[in-house]
Amino acid sequence: MPEPMEDLATGESITWVIFLISYWGEQIGQKIRKISDCFHCQLYAYPESEASRTEAITRLHGQIQELSVTLEETEKYLAEVLDKVAQVLPTWRVQVQKMKAIYLVLNQCSFDVTKKCLIAEVWCPVRDLTQVQDALRQGSYQSGSSVECFVQRVPTSESPPTLIRTNKFTAGFQSIVDAYGVASYQEVNPAPYAIITFPFIFAIMFGDVGHGLLMFLFALWMVLYEDSPRLRQGTNEIWLTFFEGRYLILLMGAFSIYTGFIYNECFSKATVIFPSAWSVATMANHSSWSSAYLATHPSLTLDPNVTGVFQGPYPFGIDPIWSLATNHLNFLNSFKMKMSVVLGIVHMGFGVVLGVFNHVHFQQRHRLVLEFLPEIIFLLALFGYLVFLIFYKWIKFSAADSMVAPSILIHFIDMFLFTSNAENLPLYPGQVPVQMVLVVLALASVPVLLLGTPLYRWCWQGAPRTPLATGEQEPLLEGQEAGNSVNATMEDVESGGHSPDAKHLDFAEIFMHQAIHTIEYCLGCVSNTASYLRLWALSLAHAQLSEVLWTMVMRNGFVGLSYVGGVVLVPVFAAFAVLTVAILLVMEGLSAFLHALRLHWVEFQNKFYVGAGYKLCPFAFTSDTWE
């Protein structure tokens, strides 16, 4: 054939060959037909007369036309069917996926003796037990089952899973805590306190009104348009991380604005909200600052002891005159270092106090005397006393006698050496004996913390055990595994973290566990207090980076004269904005976030939080159910 045609079997375009076979005898004809069938040839009878051949050709053309019409109508019908299917296909897909998810759960159930109903052992919150019973009753009615579904509580010795109900505001903070370890059953949850402490600690390291305002506005935009499908269904993983933590970023920005007002920094520049409490005019009137003196002294000293030069503390935050002083870095160093120590010790002390609620709730009142009391005495006798010295020195000494103010650091070192320094005057009468008593109390609390709990458990090992307190979860799925935590032991996992004395515990194992806890706590009080100095370091680093960026970039735009300055200011401001967002907001913000995360995980939660539990994973039609 001159033109290629499509092979109906394979769909390929091939060149067909037409040939004529003439034969004599029926036997030879049968052989030819078999050979032709082997090569998939289409055989057509060749009539002898012209009229018969014309009729055969006409008949074949009619069959071809009929087949073409049939195929065309079939294609139209299939296209209509597929269009209708395409409209309902997402619904069908969801239905099939839901059915697969339901059958996956049903396959985990077991048959009863009569093989007529299914038995499922699950965990159910007590608050939702009524809803579960109503749902089972309604399901039995709608299905027309002759056997009504019912719920029966089953006693078990397994530790229940943990269910913490969250909303869109608290979910981000709870995720931070769960990344450390899921709370043990009925354990104190640090997330509600982290809603305030986490953004505040972040803001201490990120304190700037301008940077905090940009972060706040960015988070506020995400909050206001949180229902937008375009924001929710993004494919960028980094963007989804920001979007899920929009309320966390909102609070971090708001707290950063507050601490920025405390530091009096807005893009590294001080703002004069209230008049400065320092008077240069008064100092000039009481000094012999001649024209020659001013020409040779670019820096002038303001003496607060001169009447009228210092008129009292600034109403809110740091006085803006400090931004012009040559010693402002020394002043901020001292202020932020002491602030970091004070806030860190208060934060750790709050974590130790939260452990009281665990001891009381789990009926382990002996731990109040044998663990909490030595821990709080050790912390307050040493580092709480350091906070007292800081505030006492601030209150007692003024500008008039600041030159004779003793060094707190030397006093703190002499406290551990049981000695005094004649060159470093005492802050108050009887300071040395008080410090000796405090050190003795701190040292005496260590053996109590080390031996108290092991001896108590050894003495009461044969006594009847106290049952585990019941709470929200009730056992109604068996076989779930407990999740691991960064500081959980096997005993914590097996006992749910806070159960009373477990059976068959070796005294050496108990003592070893308590020894590790004692060493970790005592050394941790020292290292954790020093760890909070990162608040001071990152706060100064953020302020200095802001100042460097302003001095080296934005300031150059104001150097030009007349129209040149305005032209240069456009690209300079663009560079300043890009560097501010890239370095100070993104990189510095991420750094401050990670440091705040570490302070909460290690320094705060380590004082009371075990995190050896596992989440309650109820059945739900979520995307990961069938995956």
Side-chain angles (χ1 to χ4, degrees):
M1 295 183 65
E3 297 180 358
M5 295 182 61
E6 181 182 356
D7 188 357
L8 298 180
T10 61
E12 296 179 357
S13 179
I14 59 175
T15 301
W16 291 81
V17 178
I18 302 175
F19 52 91
L20 180 66
I21 301 178
S22 177
Y23 62 89
W24 291 267
E26 187 63 27
Q27 293 182 353
I28 297 177
Q30 292 179 357
K31 292 181 181 180
I32 292 175
R33 291 187 184 93
K34 291 181 180 179
I35 296 173
S36 300
D37 291 339
C38 292
F39 287 96
H40 305 286
C41 296
Q42 298 291 335
L43 299 180
Y44 301 96
Y46 188 79
E48 295 181 358
S49 64
E50 183 69 22
S52 299
R53 290 195 291 270
T54 304
E55 181 182 357
I57 293 175
T58 303
R59 185 174 64 253
L60 289 176
H61 281 295
Q63 294 179 357
I64 293 174
Q65 187 175 3
E66 291 178 358
L67 290 176
S68 299
V69 173
T70 304
L71 289 175
E72 184 178 356
E73 294 295 330
T74 304
E75 289 179 355
K76 290 182 179 179
Y77 175 74
L78 291 178
E80 293 177 357
V81 172
L82 292 178
D83 289 339
K84 294 179 180 180
V85 170
Q87 297 176 0
V88 297
L89 185 60
T91 305
W92 290 357
R93 182 181 289 109
V94 172
Q95 291 176 351
V96 171
Q97 290 172 339
K98 286 185 176 182
M99 292 174 63
K100 290 175 62 179
I102 293 173
Y103 277 107
L104 179 64
V105 175
L106 292 178
N107 289 334
Q108 298 177 2
C109 302
S110 57
F111 281 103
D112 68 332
V113 179
T114 61
K115 304 290 185 179
K116 293 183 179 180
C117 62
L118 294 175
I119 300 175
E121 297 181 1
V122 301
W123 293 106
C124 177
V126 176
R127 188 189 305 178
D128 301 334
L129 192 56
T130 305
Q131 298 181 10
V132 172
Q133 292 174 338
D134 294 340
L136 290 174
R137 192 177 300 110
Q138 185 178 3
S140 300
Y141 174 76
Q142 293 182 355
S143 64
S145 174
S146 59
V147 180
E148 184 178 356
C149 298
F150 61 91
V151 176
Q152 181 179 359
R153 297 189 179 184
V154 179
T156 179
S157 59
E158 292 185 12
S159 177
T162 301
L163 172 63
I164 299 177
R165 304 179 189 272
T166 59
N167 51 37
K168 59 184 180 181
F169 178 77
T170 60
F173 298 94
Q174 189 62 52
S175 299
I176 292 176
V177 175
D178 291 343
Y180 175 86
V182 179
S184 303
Y185 180 55
Q186 295 184 342
E187 186 182 16
V188 171
N189 183 22
Y193 312 104
I195 294 176
I196 299 300
T197 59
F198 190 92
F200 180 66
I201 288 181
F202 170 86
I204 293 174
M205 298 177 281
F206 198 76
D208 190 286
V209 176
H211 300 154
L213 182 61
L214 293 177
M215 182 177 291
F216 179 82
L217 293 177
F218 171 67
L220 183 63
W221 170 72
M222 290 191 292
V223 170
L224 294 178
Y225 295 94
E226 61 183 7
D227 296 330
S228 173
R230 190 165 60 93
L231 298 182
R232 285 185 170 274
Q233 299 175 0
T235 58
N236 192 318
E237 186 176 356
I238 298 178
W239 163 252
L240 292 178
T241 302
F242 279 108
F243 185 76
E244 292 297 328
R246 57 192 179 278
Y247 288 97
L248 175 62
I249 300 175
L250 184 73
L251 288 185
M252 291 193 303
F255 277 76
S256 298
I257 295 174
Y258 170 75
T259 54
F261 279 115
I262 293 291
Y263 298 155
N264 202 348
E265 292 182 1
C266 182
F267 296 110
S268 77
K269 309 308 293 182
T271 55
V272 185
I273 301 176
F274 304 99
S276 176
W278 293 79
S279 176
V280 180
T282 305
M283 189 66 193
N285 293 333
H286 288 76
S287 303
S288 57
W289 289 351
S290 61
S291 299
Y293 181 85
L294 295 176
T296 56
H297 293 79
S299 298
L300 303 176
T301 302
L302 299 180
D303 189 358
N305 295 318
V306 177
T307 304
V309 174
F310 182 65
Q311 302 170 1
Y314 196 66
F316 187 81
I318 303 295
D319 196 301
I321 200 172
W322 282 106
S323 63
L324 305 176
T326 57
N327 62 335
H328 76 284
L329 189 57
N330 294 332
F331 171 75
L332 291 179
N333 259 332
S334 177
F335 167 74
K336 292 184 177 181
M337 179 177 64
K338 293 179 174 63
M339 176 193 66
S340 301
V341 172
V342 171
L343 294 177
I345 294 174
V346 171
H347 198 210
M348 290 190 297
F350 179 62
V352 176
V353 172
L354 286 179
V356 174
F357 298 97
N358 285 331
H359 303 331
V360 173
H361 178 75
F362 292 104
Q363 301 180 9
Q364 299 174 336
R365 302 186 185 275
H366 66 279
R367 300 182 70 176
L368 293 174
V369 180
L370 302 178
E371 291 189 16
F372 167 73
L373 193 59
E375 288 177 354
I376 200 69
I377 289 176
F378 184 87
L379 180 65
L380 296 182
L382 298 180
F383 302 100
Y385 178 70
L386 177 61
V387 175
F388 165 75
L389 291 181
I390 292 174
F391 281 99
Y392 186 83
K393 182 179 178 181
W394 276 344
I395 295 173
K396 182 178 180 181
F397 294 93
S398 62
D401 53 357
S402 61
M403 300 301 296
V404 296
S407 171
I408 296 178
L409 181 59
I410 295 178
H411 275 305
F412 200 59
I413 295 175
D414 292 339
M415 177 179 175
F416 289 95
L417 300 178
F418 294 96
T419 183
S420 60
N421 194 330
E423 299 179 357
N424 197 43
L425 299 178
L427 287 168
Y428 57 89
Q431 179 179 356
V432 175
V434 171
Q435 293 180 164
M436 294 177 64
V437 171
L438 292 177
V439 174
V440 171
L441 279 176
L443 295 177
S445 64
V446 175
V448 177
L449 181 62
L450 175 63
L451 302 174
T453 300
L455 291 177
Y456 175 85
R457 298 182 68 176
W458 181 70
C459 293
W460 291 89
Q461 194 171 11
R465 303 296 188 266
T466 306
L468 179 64
T470 58
E472 187 185 1
Q473 300 292 341
E474 282 293 337
L476 287 174
L477 182 62
E478 294 184 0
Q480 298 189 28
E481 297 181 357
N484 295 328
S485 173
V486 295
N487 67 336
T489 61
M490 183 59 65
E491 175 189 351
D492 294 328
V493 175
E494 294 175 351
S495 63
H498 292 283
S499 68
D501 304 1
K503 297 181 180 180
H504 309 296
L505 287 178
D506 187 18
F507 177 75
E509 182 181 352
I510 300 174
F511 177 78
M512 184 61 64
H513 182 268
Q514 190 65 24
I516 295 174
H517 172 72
T518 303
I519 296 173
E520 180 185 12
Y521 179 82
C522 295
L523 295 181
C525 285
V526 181
S527 62
N528 294 348
T529 303
S531 180
Y532 277 95
L533 292 177
R534 70 185 67 235
L535 300 177
W536 159 48
L538 267 77
S539 176
L540 284 177
H542 185 80
Q544 291 302 305
L545 277 175
S546 301
E547 185 174 353
V548 168
L549 190 60
W550 177 274
T551 303
M552 298 185 65
V553 180
M554 196 62 185
R555 184 179 175 184
N556 293 331
F558 299 103
V559 175
L561 301 176
S562 70
Y563 68 91
V564 179
V567 174
V568 173
L569 189 60
V570 174
V572 167
F573 178 77
F576 175 78
V578 171
L579 292 176
T580 297
V581 173
I583 298 178
L584 295 179
L585 288 182
V586 178
M587 293 179 60
E588 277 286 308
L590 181 60
S591 175
F593 177 85
L594 293 177
H595 283 285
L597 191 66
R598 180 242 154 77
L599 290 177
H600 274 77
W601 281 358
V602 179
E603 278 71 26
F604 174 61
Q605 293 180 187
N606 197 31
K607 300 294 184 294
F608 68 97
Y609 187 65
V610 175
Y614 60 102
K615 283 186 178 182
L616 176 69
C617 298
F619 174 76
F621 291 120
T622 55
S623 58
D624 57 348
T625 302
W626 42 80
E627 291 177 358

